[in-house]
Amino acid sequence: AATTKATIGGTTATGTASGSDTSGTTAATTKNTYTTSATVQVKSCADADNIVNNGTKAAEAFEKALQDGMKGVTVTQTTLAKVGCNRRLTDDIRRLSTAAVKADFTYESTTAVAVPDKSTFQASLKTKLSGAGLPSDVTVTEITPGKTTGGPTTTGGITKVQEVSAAVGAPATFFSVAILSVGMSW
């Protein structure tokens, strides 16, 4: 017998299954969707341009580096953006801010997996960027903890479940009550 525990929307259900059904069906696997971001300092704006403008190669290097430090996750989207390459006037002194690349990741996992620490991610990223022929003299300055983006997705035949904010439902509820009230007054 196997015991399964699932929590959706704050409600926890526990069940026990037994038997030996080997008819070829597979159990559904629930995956949660998460987001995280990493800021990676580069030596120059030219290096940032080179990384960001190499789309697929760069995105794959960042994805593989993240997955190396987070076993069991599947990265579904990676967005790279250049930051800190604008000139700024501050206190009458013109200076350049530090060039960096910001990577935003969306990933799926069946369990909550901690993001890698900066040094682990940096070591893997340097290797992946170098292997892709991209500038690899980088320093990871920040990697944010993973945040869930709205409930589990599922494979194996179970429908996706997404949380809905009460702030989104309130205007629709108000409208429905107003229409119902008008209808009742006829």
Side-chain angles (χ1 to χ4, degrees):
T3 301
T4 303
K5 183 176 181 181
T7 303
I8 298 176
T11 303
T12 301
T14 304
T16 303
S18 61
S20 58
D21 181 7
T22 57
S23 62
T25 59
T26 58
T29 304
T30 301
K31 292 184 178 182
N32 286 311
T33 303
Y34 300 89
T35 59
T36 188
S37 296
T39 304
V40 179
Q41 185 177 345
V42 294
K43 292 297 176 190
S44 67
C45 288
D47 284 354
D49 281 334
N50 194 359
I51 291 171
V52 171
N53 293 332
N54 268 294
T56 304
K57 282 191 337 183
E60 285 178 0
F62 275 80
E63 285 174 14
K64 289 176 183 175
L66 184 70
Q67 287 175 330
D68 281 354
M70 297 178 70
K71 301 298 182 208
V73 304
T74 303
V75 178
T76 58
Q77 182 177 358
T78 302
T79 305
L80 302 177
K82 180 176 67 168
V83 294
C85 288
N86 299 328
R87 291 185 177 266
R88 298 180 184 195
L89 287 175
T90 307
D91 297 327
D92 297 327
I93 300 172
R94 185 174 282 263
R95 68 176 185 194
L96 291 174
S97 50
T98 305
V101 173
K102 182 173 185 220
D104 293 318
F105 302 98
T106 302
Y107 62 94
E108 294 179 336
S109 177
T110 55
T111 61
V113 179
V115 295
D117 60 58
K118 292 189 286 188
S119 62
T120 301
F121 181 64
Q122 179 174 307
S124 183
L125 183 60
K126 284 182 177 221
T127 302
K128 304 299 183 209
L129 288 171
S130 178
L134 296 169
S136 59
D137 191 2
V138 298
T139 303
V140 176
T141 58
E142 178 185 30
I143 187 161
T144 62
K147 260 189 342 190
T148 187
T149 61
T153 59
T154 358
T155 57
I158 296 178
T159 308
K160 295 180 180 181
V161 176
Q162 299 217 354
E163 296 173 13
V164 177
S165 169
V168 173
T173 303
F174 175 75
F175 180 74
S176 297
V177 169
I179 295 297
L180 182 62
S181 296
V182 169
M184 288 175 40
S185 66
W186 286 98

